Amino acid sequence: MVQEYTKAQVRDHNKKESVWVLVHNDIYDVTAFLNEHPGGEEVLLEQAGKDASEAFEDVGHSSDAREMMLKYKVGTLVASERKPEQPKKSTVDWKETSESSESSLKSWIIPVALGLAATIIYRLYFMS
Ligand code: HEM
């Protein structure tokens, strides 16, 4: 079974002697990796004991880097403290696109319908 830890337990590992970071609900012991990290030890020390998910993603780590991480994983965050999975970006984009095309359709129909109604009323009253 995977070992579970709380954020408070991760926070205890915030010194050079023992550096843990939290990335996407998984916990990594990067103490032995400090010297080897291509991005330098400073950035890891800065995130020591913290949730480094955003900093990790901002760098745009390669798939090699993501594979490398697995070696340092020591556990996961307890279920009650986990963040819900982020929805996939593509789903959000699609939804936004379909919504905006739907509303642009609506903004089309209303003026056209008003124009038609005006024409009909005009014809009924003034052309008979
Ligand atoms: C176990 C966790 C980590 C592993 C295995 C790892 C691995 C790597 C690797 C292999 C690279 C070289 C570039 C690449 O292949 O993407 C890299 C670069 C870098 N990493 Fe990490 N990294 C980890 C955590 C972090 C964290 C938590 C930060 C937080 C700020 C960070 C910041 C950086 C930076 C700033 C670079 C340099 C990017 C550049 O020079 O363009 N890394 N890391």
Side-chain angles (χ1 to χ4, degrees), residues 15-69:
K15 300 259 155 59
K16 212 172 169 175
E17 294 74 49
S18 180
V19 179
W20 286 13
V21 287
L22 182 63
V23 179
H24 302 313
N25 300 327
D26 288 326
I27 296 155
Y28 303 89
D29 180 348
V30 292
T31 320
F33 182 61
L34 290 176
N35 287 329
E36 294 168 37
H37 184 220
E41 64 170 23
E42 271 311 308
V43 285
L44 290 179
L45 287 170
E46 219 169 83
Q47 300 297 327
K50 297 191 208 160
D51 185 342
S53 310
E54 219 170 287
F56 181 83
E57 292 304 340
D58 282 351
V59 172
H61 280 92
S62 64
S63 50
D64 273 358
R66 284 160 206 270
E67 217 165 277
M68 210 185 261
M69 288 176 89

Side-chain angles (χ1 to χ4, degrees), residues 106-120:
K106 269 187 211 142
S107 60
W108 237 97
I109 286 172
I110 293 167
V112 169
L114 284 175
L116 268 175
T119 311
I120 291 165

